């Protein structure tokens, strides 16, 4: 049984690994008793290959949860298969929304046009919550530089009511990500070269112009900045969005 509240355990882990490098945070996290059962959640997006490569080195059998919203770019689906094979990841679990729920709530695939939060909830938030029900912690690729909501990100953070989140790359800079990819000869997502530095679902992702924030192409023209897996209404929660 895990010892202490989420806040206590997160604080203890941050103190324990405060001065560790990302790879060591990940290496130790997958076996630290304060975390329990751990999975990596990956979008196989523009920068995902960094964390996936680290996992392939320290724990290739770690469960990797990939949410297929069934609205992803074909390039993302191809890239997911390519990277998983190249890195030798042995437990990649493709997560999809319940077909009955999709038929009921989004029968014609247009929900994203008039209620983006509800679409993310249906296709991402709820399926991930179900997939994570057997884990005590999950690993993300979030970084402080990505936007204001992530500026104070720590290695370990509580996620009510019962899980911790692990952010090994929290303190990395953009150049750290690029250097790691180059040094390890990692395959790039093909859409990056076409102006997509942040990649989500095809209907809600557009190319980014020079000088724009890297996430400017996500839900362009709306106030939405997170899919709901990490934030809803500015709060770090992951549950069904109220009507």
């Amino acid at each position: 049984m895990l010892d202490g509240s989420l806040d206590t355990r997160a604080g203890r882990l941050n103190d324990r690994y405060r001065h560790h490098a990302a790879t060591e945070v990940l290496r130790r996290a997958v076996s630290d008793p304060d975390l329990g059962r751990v999975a990596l959640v990956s979008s196989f997006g523009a920068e995902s290959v960094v964390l996936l490569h680290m996992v392939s080195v320290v724990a290739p059998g770690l469960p990797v949860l990939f949410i297929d919203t069934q609205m992803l770019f074909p390039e993302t689906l191809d890239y997911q298969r390519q990277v998983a094979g190249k890195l030798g990841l042995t437990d990649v679990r493709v997560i999809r929304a319940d077909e009955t729920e999709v038929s009921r709530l989004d029968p014609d695939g247009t929900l994203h046009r008039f209620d983006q939060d509800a679409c993310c909830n249906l296709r991402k938030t709820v399926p991930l919550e179900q997939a994570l029900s057997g884990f005590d912690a999950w690993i993300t690729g979030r970084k402080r530089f990505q936007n204001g909501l992530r500026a104070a990100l720590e290695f370990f953070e509580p996620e009510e009511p019962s899980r911790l989140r692990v952010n090994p790359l929290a303190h990395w800079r953009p150049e750290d990500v690029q250097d790691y990819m180059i040094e390890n000869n990692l395959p790039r997502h093909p859409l990056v070269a076409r102006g997509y530095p942040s990649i989500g679902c095809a209907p809600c992702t557009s190319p980014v112009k020079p000088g724009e924030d890297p996430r400017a192409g996500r839900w362009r023209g709306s106030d939405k900045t997170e899919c709901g897996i990490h934030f809803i209404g500015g709060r770090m929660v992951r549950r069904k969005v109220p009507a």
Side-chain angles (χ1 to χ4, degrees):
M1 184 175 178
L2 296 171
D3 182 24
S5 68
L6 289 178
D7 287 337
T8 299
R9 286 162 48 214
R12 196 157 58 214
L13 287 159
N14 280 317
D15 288 341
R16 189 176 301 156
Y17 300 123
R18 188 168 305 281
H19 303 296
H20 285 66
T23 304
E24 281 306 300
V25 170
L26 181 63
R27 185 189 307 277
R28 295 170 185 268
V30 297
S31 59
D32 194 301
D34 269 331
L35 280 170
R37 298 161 298 177
V38 183
L40 167 67
V41 175
S42 179
S43 66
F44 285 79
E47 298 175 347
S48 299
V49 71
V50 169
L51 202 49
L52 290 163
H53 179 264
M54 289 182 181
V55 165
S56 75
V57 172
V58 305
L62 189 78
V64 177
L65 309 184
F66 169 61
I67 307 173
D68 178 7
T69 64
Q70 298 179 291
M71 286 192 165
L72 299 175
F73 290 94
E75 290 89 343
T76 296
L77 298 175
D78 291 342
Y79 184 66
Q80 182 268 313
R81 291 186 287 267
Q82 174 197 0
V83 169
K86 179 179 176 64
L87 298 183
L89 301 169
T90 60
D91 191 5
V92 178
R93 307 179 188 183
V94 180
I95 311 302
R96 298 186 180 93
D98 180 79
E99 291 182 6
T100 301
E101 284 297 283
V102 172
S103 296
R104 183 174 71 87
L105 298 172
D106 191 14
D108 57 358
T110 61
L111 182 59
H112 66 277
R113 295 181 186 174
F114 55 88
D115 194 337
Q116 294 171 329
D117 283 341
C119 186
C120 286
N121 185 61
L122 169 66
R123 296 178 178 275
K124 293 182 181 180
T125 311
V126 170
L128 180 59
E129 180 62 38
Q130 294 169 344
L132 283 173
S133 62
F135 296 97
D136 303 301
W138 59 293
I139 300 164
T140 89
R142 293 185 303 151
K143 309 162 195 71
R144 287 185 172 187
F145 71 76
Q146 287 173 322
N147 64 35
L149 293 174
R150 304 180 181 187
L153 200 63
E154 297 287 354
F155 283 141
F156 303 90
E157 56 182 340
E159 179 186 84
E160 298 294 344
S162 59
R163 273 190 293 273
L164 290 175
R165 247 182 312 214
V166 188
N167 310 301
L169 307 183
H171 305 289
W172 276 32
R173 304 164 299 169
E175 51 267 39
D176 295 326
V177 176
Q178 298 306 314
D179 288 348
Y180 189 95
M181 288 184 181
I182 293 169
E183 290 169 5
N184 292 281
N185 194 29
L186 299 178
R188 306 297 183 100
H189 194 299
L191 290 179
V192 171
R194 289 159 53 185
Y196 292 83
S198 180
I199 303 162
C201 293
C204 299
T205 307
S206 59
V208 171
K209 300 175 183 176
E212 284 189 308
D213 184 278
R215 288 178 64 84
R218 305 290 296 276
W219 307 286
R220 188 180 291 278
S222 74
D223 293 331
K224 187 174 176 65
T225 59
E226 296 279 356
C227 65
I229 290 176
H230 302 301
F231 286 87
I232 296 173
R235 296 188 301 119
M236 286 186 286
V237 296
R238 196 177 68 260
R239 57 177 178 268
K240 191 170 184 178
V241 179

